[in-house]
Amino acid sequence: MGRVLVWLITAISLFTLSPRPAMSEPKHAIAMQGEPALPPDYTHFDYVNPDAPKGGSITYCVVGSFDNLNPFILKSLRTTARGMMDLTYGNLVFEPLMQRNYDEAFSLYGLLADSADMDPERKSIEFHLNPRAKWSDGEPVTPEDVLFTYDVFTDKGRPPYNARMSLIAKLEKTGDHSVRFTFNDKANRETPMIIALTPILPKHAFDKETFDKTTLKPLIGSGPYTIAQVAPGQRIVFKRNPDYWGKDVPAKRGFDNYDQITIEYFLNANAKLEAFKKGLCAVDDDGDPVKRERDLDFPAFHRGEVVSETFDTGIPPVVTGFLFNTRLPKFSNPVVRRALGMLYDFEWANKNLFGGKYTRTMSYWQNSELSALGHPADDREKALLAPYPGRVPPDVMDGTWKPPVTDGSGQDRKVLKTAFDLLKSIGYHVQDGTMLDPDGKPFGFEILTASQDEERLAGIYQRTLEKIGINVSIRSLDGDQIQSRKQRFDFEALIGSSGFNNSLSPGFEQLGRWSSEAARAEGSFNLAGVADPAVDAAIDAMLRARSKEDYVAAVRVLDRLLISGNYMVPMQYNTQQWLAYWNYLEHPKKTPIFGYQLPTWWRKPN
């Protein structure tokens, strides 16, 4: 009996003294790198007007159509109404656990969850739900809603939501207002941030069995607006919820200032522009500096009723260009893609189309310390690339790479000859004016375009390629058609981008854009079909980096690999954002590093 008692005391002591998972104190905010900039007692983000007047209405205009209100299902990639969960107009209906501060690289502040308890190793995170959080029908937001969200996303959701549960070892309710995520070995240091940004759905308002079906029934969310009117394909109207639970949350002060938001749909950009001139649309954001100067020549602008303004940003420009579907044999050889990449005449386009106001895009993180340009690969980068010899050419490794510079004539023979010789070196040749591949078959491809501006850029590229016998056709599709083709990877080439936004803190989203797994997943954003173990390893190193030095090295390696892979022909950029708007609108004085934020604007009181 005495031995048993001694054993029990020893066992209890060992259990009591055994280390528990180290957790920090619950915090009002979390950051990907370092610490959040704002203290626990912050009252609002510094790029808002916390005293912005509430009231009035605004109408935004977009090109396209819609027949669905659920943005979380695969079919939503083509025809979901804007505004449900929107980077441009705000999360009007659905909200995440935490809110991003757009004046920091990547920091999140309390929203549905008023605080988060993350262990130092980022193996787990516990969210403490704000007890005031409610759905628009008055029901409270509960841990069960969080559990349901991940359950339904896993079984019925679209990328990237459907894959997030694969990173979670355990998801559990830990209290009346708390849930804890414990991560598995597939997760990385950014995973808690992605979980915090995932929109949460009300369990009581969705049927899991029919979740993946399109719907035009107004949905219940926790956001500041409810759906007031739906005219499929034409307009959607949101009305501010007077009982919105989060209006006094610091991360929401100064936002959501209109009583009503209407989003009108138009068949094409010209129709949208005419509606803006007539005052139906509140803002216009044309990216072409020459075209917008011409378009602003109308009476309301000359009377001062319409304002034209530029906003400076502090983030790398989004990379846009001619994107090749490398799943196809004709684009599988990187040497072919490299030759094609030489043949976009930026100098001609900039002079003749853009008034010399653009800069050539050369890096996926241009104008930042994350860019490979001007930075020779250091020992960290060389170690990451060592298992993949020859993937990166010497000029990309030493940071001196630049695309060819033409004489701006539209027919620079020197550049044409360099590209031709490169194709010739791998067995391509010209016969009777037609470029033939090594098997003797004509080499050419089709470019899909979604607007007149894209068609014009494609025409420039087409004319240059034809000079060395490459036959290019251009097919114009409407927005819905081209989105459907993208979703199925049913295209040869198109004018695309490297993602919706670029960032000073690239992370988990890079998997969806460039990973081998995403290349095989229908509906992913890896349109180019990049499936390279070296790219996968660079993304993994980026996501697992613990020091800033390791992180920067991993992103630069990814940049070097993407440049070397020639998956797209980058075009041009202008770091300034431009907006024309009717003068009944006002905006905060400060522009955050991510650029202007329409959800912080307001209407002048009458």
Side-chain angles (χ1 to χ4, degrees), residues 69-72 84 92-95 112 134-141 145 148-149 199-207 211 215-228 238 241 245:
L69 300 183
N70 186 347
F72 307 110
M84 303 297 293
L92 304 184
V93 175
F94 296 105
E95 296 180 312
L112 286 177
K134 288 182 169 48
W135 303 106
S136 59
D137 62 359
E139 291 292 315
V141 177
D145 294 319
F148 168 77
T149 296
I200 303 302
L201 308 182
K203 179 180 180 180
H204 69 280
F206 282 91
D207 182 351
F211 183 80
T215 181
L216 288 169
K217 177 183 177 182
L219 301 178
I220 292 172
S222 64
Y225 290 85
T226 58
I227 302 167
F238 301 90
N241 181 2
W245 73 273

Side-chain angles (χ1 to χ4, degrees), residues 57-117:
S57 63
I58 190 170
T59 297
Y60 298 117
C61 298
V62 298
V63 174
S65 182
F66 74 94
D67 61 6
N68 175 44
L69 300 183
N70 186 347
F72 307 110
I73 60 176
L74 191 60
K75 295 175 183 178
S76 75
L77 291 175
R78 185 167 64 92
T79 55
T80 295
R82 299 287 301 274
M84 303 297 293
M85 188 190 65
D86 200 295
L87 290 174
T88 301
Y89 307 124
N91 295 333
L92 304 184
V93 175
F94 296 105
E95 296 180 312
L97 292 166
M98 304 188 83
Q99 174 83 6
R100 188 163 193 166
N101 178 3
Y102 284 103
D103 207 31
E104 298 180 58
F106 194 4
S107 292
L108 307 177
Y109 292 76
L111 187 56
L112 286 177
D114 55 21
S115 63
D117 191 1

Side-chain angles (χ1 to χ4, degrees), residues 254-533:
F255 289 81
D256 316 316
N257 299 316
Y258 308 109
D259 287 340
Q260 179 174 296
I261 296 175
T262 300
I263 300 179
E264 292 276 354
Y265 284 75
F266 293 85
L267 292 177
N268 55 59
N270 287 336
K272 181 168 78 79
L273 175 63
E274 292 305 313
F276 171 70
K277 292 179 178 180
K278 295 174 182 176
L280 175 61
C281 315
V283 301
D284 180 55
D285 61 353
D286 197 305
D288 184 334
V290 175
K291 181 175 181 294
R292 68 195 184 208
E293 287 181 8
R294 182 179 67 247
D295 291 342
L296 282 176
D297 186 15
F298 62 100
F301 176 73
H302 296 303
R303 291 193 300 266
E305 296 171 8
V306 171
V307 179
S308 172
E309 188 171 356
T310 57
F311 301 83
D312 292 319
T313 67
I315 58 173
V318 173
V319 180
T320 59
F322 298 97
L323 186 145
F324 305 119
N325 187 349
T326 64
R327 301 171 185 84
L328 304 177
K330 66 175 65 182
F331 295 127
S332 63
N333 189 331
V335 178
V336 172
R337 302 195 299 267
R338 182 182 172 195
L340 295 174
M342 297 178 175
L343 296 173
Y344 174 64
D345 196 336
F346 161 75
E347 284 71 28
W348 188 95
N350 195 35
K351 179 175 67 176
N352 291 279
L353 298 184
F354 305 121
K357 297 180 179 180
Y358 274 67
T359 302
R360 183 68 193 266
T361 305
M362 298 185 288
S363 163
Y364 289 80
W365 285 276
Q366 199 148 331
N367 304 328
S368 80
E369 65 176 341
L370 303 176
S371 173
L373 298 182
H375 298 108
D378 62 17
D379 290 340
R380 288 182 174 87
E381 293 184 61
K382 291 175 182 177
L384 289 173
L385 287 167
Y388 311 98
R391 280 291 205 285
V392 178
D395 58 346
V396 181
M397 280 295 285
D398 64 23
T400 62
W401 176 86
K402 292 182 179 179
V405 177
T406 73
D407 59 13
S409 66
Q411 49 186 358
D412 190 319
R413 298 181 64 85
K414 182 179 178 180
V415 174
L416 289 169
K417 184 178 186 305
T418 302
F420 176 79
D421 288 345
L422 192 58
L423 289 169
K424 186 177 178 181
S425 71
I426 55 172
Y428 285 71
H429 62 284
V430 173
Q431 181 177 313
D432 298 328
T434 298
M435 180 70 71
L436 303 180
D437 66 18
D439 295 325
K441 298 178 181 178
F443 177 67
F445 55 92
E446 178 186 73
I447 301 174
L448 299 185
T449 62
S451 67
Q452 290 182 343
D453 290 340
E454 287 190 0
E455 189 172 351
R456 183 171 50 171
L457 289 167
I460 296 170
Y461 195 36
Q462 178 191 49
R463 287 193 295 272
T464 305
L465 290 167
E466 286 178 343
K467 294 181 187 302
I468 61 169
I470 298 175
N471 180 36
V472 172
S473 60
I474 300 171
R475 176 178 296 188
S476 297
L477 301 176
D478 64 35
D480 293 342
Q481 290 174 317
I482 205 163
Q483 188 58 50
S484 178
R485 297 279 288 268
K486 287 180 180 179
Q487 183 177 322
R488 305 193 311 270
F489 308 130
D490 181 17
F491 65 91
E492 293 187 328
L494 50 77
I495 296 179
S497 72
S498 61
F500 292 118
N501 289 287
N502 226 335
S503 167
L504 293 170
S505 182
F508 192 79
E509 78 285 350
Q510 301 301 312
L511 288 169
R513 297 177 188 179
W514 308 117
S515 73
S516 299
E517 184 177 355
R520 300 184 292 268
E522 182 178 302
S524 83
F525 298 119
N526 188 350
L527 297 176
V530 179
D532 182 354

